[in-house]
Amino acid sequence: MDRKRRISGIILSAAAAVMAAGCSTEATGEKGTASISLTCGTPAVKASIPQEDAINDINLVLFENGRAETAIWKDGLGGGPRADIDISFIKGRKYSLFVLANAGRKITLKDTVGLKSLNIELLDEEGFANGIPMSAMIEDISFDGQKRLDVTLVRLAARISLRIDRSRLS
């Protein structure tokens, strides 16, 4: 009976040590917050229309080791050319940041494999009613000591207008 108690005690001690190691502060880390400042990277030209640079909604995903760790969806951003979003992170970790603006809906991503196969269809001009889709991807970032990250969005589509003089086409 005494031998059973010692073996049980050893097993319980080992289990407690494993659980304590799994719950250490190194595994969870110290949390922090940062502000992500988004701007449209399209150069302003004389013929540009303000709505073309509008940011109406944002899908923001932080990936760690290829897995989505944090996902934020914000809509109703007012349609200006800038947007700021606060995110939480764990200090000392490396992340990849993906931002998709003007998708018109929440995008669910579990990992970077899903990101590579992401497809949004805009079949006609009404598809751009929410704004022209824009995105950005930044890899291997660490927010240690950094309270703000400036991200430039790049358009995923272009708007083209053609005028054709048909007077000589007869």
Side-chain angles (χ1 to χ4, degrees), residues 36-105:
I36 306 294
S37 179
L38 305 167
T39 56
C40 180
T42 306
V45 294
K46 186 177 180 182
S48 69
I49 299 169
Q51 295 85 349
E52 289 185 9
D53 297 339
I55 300 173
N56 292 299
D57 64 66
I58 292 291
N59 283 281
L60 185 144
V61 183
L62 270 183
F63 293 98
E64 183 187 14
N65 296 324
R67 286 189 353 245
E69 292 294 320
T70 301
I72 298 172
W73 155 253
K74 274 195 166 183
D75 64 346
L77 294 174
R82 298 182 51 88
D84 293 313
I85 297 178
D86 293 332
I87 59 165
S88 297
F89 59 90
I90 297 176
K91 292 182 179 180
R93 294 190 180 178
K94 292 274 186 190
Y95 294 99
S96 294
L97 173 72
F98 173 71
V99 181
L100 177 63
N102 301 332
R105 62 185 170 92

Side-chain angles (χ1 to χ4, degrees), residues 40 53-55 99-102 132-136 153-156:
C40 180
D53 297 339
I55 300 173
V99 181
L100 177 63
N102 301 332
I132 294 177
M134 297 179 270
S135 72
L153 298 168
V154 177
R155 285 188 189 172
L156 299 176

